[in-house]
Amino acid sequence: MWLKAIIVVLFLAVLASLTSALVFLLRDMGAPESKRTLYALGIRITLAALLLLAIWYGFYSGMLSNTAPWANKY
């Protein structure tokens, strides 16, 4: 159960980072020396990698499973 909570928190953090990057992009249009957008997108990439690792670990350890009706057909 804790792994699903971690996955949800990481997903929400990715969305928050993406939103903050958009806000920084719109606010810093006149300031080309500002790197806040770049840093926010770097954090998003790191969080997305952690999210993928958490999902991979869940499937690898058996904590997560695929319950789609078409999962075992192919």
Side-chain angles (χ1 to χ4, degrees), residues 44-58:
R44 183 189 61 91
I45 290 172
T46 304
L47 290 170
L50 289 173
L51 178 63
L52 287 174
L53 281 173
I55 292 171
W56 174 81
Y57 175 75

Side-chain angles (χ1 to χ4, degrees), residues 1 3-4 54-66:
M1 187 63 165
L3 184 63
K4 291 180 184 180
I55 292 171
W56 174 81
Y57 175 75
F59 279 115
Y60 182 75
S61 66
M63 292 177 157
L64 298 176
S65 63
N66 190 359

Side-chain angles (χ1 to χ4, degrees), residues 21-57:
L22 177 64
V23 169
F24 293 152
L25 178 68
L26 294 176
R27 285 191 182 167
D28 296 341
M29 267 200 198
E33 66 276 352
S34 178
K35 296 186 186 253
R36 293 192 305 175
T37 304
L38 180 66
Y39 293 149
L41 291 175
I43 290 170
R44 183 189 61 91
I45 290 172
T46 304
L47 290 170
L50 289 173
L51 178 63
L52 287 174
L53 281 173
I55 292 171
W56 174 81
Y57 175 75

